[in-house]
Amino acid sequence: MEAALRPVYRRLHTIWLRSSICSKRDIASVAAAQHRLQDIYHQPPGKSLPVSLPPPQPSTVPPTQRLKDAKPFSHFLTDNFHRQHTYLRISVTERCNLRCTYCMPAAGVPLSPPAHLLTTPEIVYLSELFVGQGVRKIRLTGGEPTVRKDILPLMHEIGQLRSKGLKELCLTTNGISLHRKLDAMVDAGLTGVNLSLDTLDPYQFQIMTRRKGFDMVIKSLERILEMNRLGAGIRLKLNVVVMRGVNEHEIVPFVELGKDEDIEIRFIEYMPFDGNKWSQQKMLSYKEMVAIIREKHPGLCRQQDEGRSETSKTWQVPGFRGKIGFITSMTENFCGTCNRLRITADGNLKVCLFGNSEVNLRDLLRRENNGEPIDWAALEALTEVEMDRQQGVSGSTGPLGYGQRERDLLEVIGMAVKRKKERHAGMGQLENMKNRPMILIGG
């Protein structure tokens, strides 16, 4: 048995010795190899095997040098209240395989024609444009992003932007099919997952989502935890929308998940969107949630929030590995430090989740393509036109291409960002304000 396993162990160690910083591809390879070893040893998932991962190497560049090399932040992404927008959320589909009551009307939503949705080259182009202006974190949302047929190639393309300054590539998902694609996503550069799960009861799950699939979500959750034990470093958060009379009795059981696991459980105040029948009576406030947890864990204490632009108020139960976060959009907004922009699946820029004003980027992006969706061939042709124009090559008589489009887009984006309000409307106004259903915004 030992002799048979030796080549496998050699392969595992070779992966980690190849470089001082482990790649996501290697982690996925180790995960697969660990599965094989566990089968041989008849050990359950999660039981450690004799393979150790090296610690991440600290940067060798002095902090003073990093400050000296830093570029001024883009004025296009800086609003009139000096908020710098470094976080872009992109909805990659309007479709979803669940029908959550707080997200989608019972009758569903009208979907945009396929030609109205952004193509993969268009999403990659916009991602690169925003990263070039200082965006450091991109989150892919939906609908449900994993139902997009080319989600893996799309993530791979966006993952390549790490060489241009992107630091985080994250995903918000319901987890139904994540377990089947997670390894490839990690390989593409995935760094964080927000997993939406509002109940730990399979029957309540079916009521809240109007669909089956609880076991698949748990399978995805367990797969993330398993990969993290191997060193994948996927930052995991569970998003729990709390509704009075529906699932507030599950707040403490959710907290208990973080006793031994490095998970952040994020409780979200119920928010109003078109078709979700929101009412203030259904909304459980942040302070009420804290009080419920303190009944069981009186030592619950506030922690330092991770960054100035963090939306979540962080708490922790002493002795627990995991943390607790509260998204307090309704009772204690965090507009003053908001650094988020959103692009909808049909190509509109939203500078505020609760704002009903949008700017169409899709049509401007397609202007030189006769309004047609841009595929890779069209994008390459438009780029060549602009390169020829800049280099003065004869025969380049077409309309201004890539460079002019980029400048026009930045001007439009900059004007939209400058119009961003200091804070969103209050609770009473939001209830009656026209806005998209959450499913068509992307969260």
Side-chain angles (χ1 to χ4, degrees), residues 274-410:
D274 276 13
N276 73 352
K277 298 182 180 179
W278 182 92
S279 73
Q280 190 168 343
Q281 288 70 37
K282 290 182 182 179
M283 192 205 71
L284 196 73
S285 72
Y286 153 55
K287 290 182 179 179
E288 290 176 285
M289 296 183 212
V290 170
I292 289 172
I293 298 171
R294 275 187 165 155
E295 288 181 6
K296 177 68 180 293
H297 299 288
L300 178 71
C301 55
R302 182 71 189 269
Q303 302 291 305
Q304 180 68 40
D305 295 330
E306 292 197 4
R308 183 173 177 272
S309 298
E310 181 59 50
T311 60
S312 177
K313 293 176 173 61
T314 307
W315 294 68
Q316 191 167 29
V317 175
F320 278 37
R321 285 191 66 195
K323 294 182 179 180
I324 305 165
F326 297 92
I327 309 297
T328 62
S329 301
M330 303 306 297
T331 60
E332 296 183 21
N333 73 62
F334 33 83
C335 302
T337 57
C338 180
N339 69 336
R340 290 154 184 76
L341 298 172
R342 291 171 170 82
I343 297 178
T344 62
D346 57 350
N348 284 359
L349 175 69
K350 285 179 71 75
V351 297
C352 175
L353 174 62
F354 295 105
N356 51 18
S357 62
E358 302 179 358
V359 175
N360 189 319
L361 302 182
R362 181 199 64 214
D363 291 351
L364 183 56
L365 185 61
R366 296 176 178 178
R367 186 176 57 191
E368 281 78 42
N369 199 45
N370 297 318
E372 295 298 318
I374 297 175
D375 58 18
W376 288 116
L379 184 61
E380 183 178 355
L382 290 170
T383 303
E384 288 179 358
V385 166
E386 174 60 14
M387 290 176 63
D388 288 348
R389 186 189 66 82
Q390 291 177 348
Q391 296 172 10
V393 175
S394 60
S396 178
T397 58
L400 294 183
Y402 189 91
Q404 185 63 46
R405 182 173 63 248
E406 181 178 74
R407 290 190 289 273
D408 290 345
L409 280 166
L410 288 175

Side-chain angles (χ1 to χ4, degrees), residues 27-48:
I27 289 171
S29 299
V30 170
Q34 286 279 39
H35 271 301
R36 184 176 164 196
L37 290 178
Q38 282 161 345
D39 289 341
I40 293 172
Y41 276 124
H42 304 290
Q43 290 177 324
K47 186 173 178 60
S48 63

Side-chain angles (χ1 to χ4, degrees), residues 74-86:
S74 167
H75 73 275
F76 294 110
L77 301 188
T78 304
D79 68 18
N80 289 328
F81 303 98
H82 310 292
R83 293 173 295 200
Q84 297 178 342
H85 295 79
T86 58

Side-chain angles (χ1 to χ4, degrees), residues 22-262:
C22 309
S23 74
K24 300 294 185 181
R25 181 187 301 273
D26 294 338
I27 289 171
S29 299
V30 170
Q34 286 279 39
H35 271 301
R36 184 176 164 196
L37 290 178
Q38 282 161 345
D39 289 341
I40 293 172
Y41 276 124
H42 304 290
Q43 290 177 324
K47 186 173 178 60
S48 63
L49 291 167
V51 179
S52 59
L53 311 181
Q57 301 298 312
S59 172
T60 58
V61 181
T64 52
Q65 185 62 41
R66 291 201 296 271
L67 286 173
K68 184 179 178 181
D69 294 340
K71 298 178 181 178
F73 192 79
S74 167
H75 73 275
F76 294 110
L77 301 188
T78 304
D79 68 18
N80 289 328
F81 303 98
H82 310 292
R83 293 173 295 200
Q84 297 178 342
H85 295 79
T86 58
Y87 181 4
L88 179 65
R89 301 172 67 101
I90 306 175
S91 174
V92 298
T93 181
E94 296 176 344
R95 296 183 179 277
C96 187
N97 43 14
L98 297 181
R99 295 292 183 271
C100 299
T101 56
Y102 56 82
C103 184
M104 185 186 295
V109 295
L111 299 176
S112 301
H116 290 189
L117 301 176
L118 292 178
T119 66
T120 289
E122 290 169 341
I123 293 174
V124 173
Y125 173 83
L126 288 172
S127 298
E128 185 170 2
L129 180 66
F130 276 90
V131 169
Q133 295 300 310
V135 162
R136 294 295 172 257
K137 178 177 180 178
I138 290 178
R139 178 177 298 279
L140 303 182
T141 67
E144 169 51 39
T146 61
V147 305
R148 184 177 173 117
K149 293 181 180 179
D150 64 346
I151 185 64
L152 294 176
L154 172 60
M155 291 184 69
H156 179 78
E157 292 292 335
I158 296 176
Q160 299 301 307
L161 298 178
R162 285 172 292 181
S163 63
K164 299 187 178 182
L166 184 66
K167 302 297 183 186
E168 298 180 66
L169 175 56
C170 305
L171 189 77
T172 294
T173 174
N174 60 32
I176 293 291
S177 60
L178 178 66
H179 59 93
R180 299 198 301 267
K181 302 178 180 181
L182 184 62
D183 290 48
M185 288 180 170
V186 170
D187 188 11
L190 180 68
T191 62
V193 172
N194 284 18
L195 187 63
S196 298
L197 180 63
D198 305 307
T199 177
L200 298 173
D201 180 343
Y203 301 102
Q204 181 69 8
F205 178 90
Q206 192 168 344
I207 292 171
M208 295 183 72
T209 66
R210 306 186 182 107
R211 294 289 187 275
K212 296 180 180 180
F214 178 81
D215 291 343
M216 295 297 98
V217 180
I218 297 303
K219 187 173 182 179
S220 292
L221 172 60
E222 291 174 344
R223 180 63 181 143
I224 296 171
L225 294 173
E226 181 182 10
M227 293 187 72
N228 278 346
R229 293 185 193 108
L230 297 171
I234 304 167
R235 187 175 179 187
L236 174 61
K237 300 175 183 178
L238 283 189
N239 285 350
V240 185
V241 176
V242 181
M243 291 177 280
R244 192 187 307 276
V246 178
N247 63 340
E248 77 269 31
H249 63 284
E250 297 194 66
I251 289 176
V252 171
F254 268 110
V255 170
E256 300 291 338
L257 292 178
K259 185 175 183 179
D260 299 312
E261 298 290 354
D262 186 14

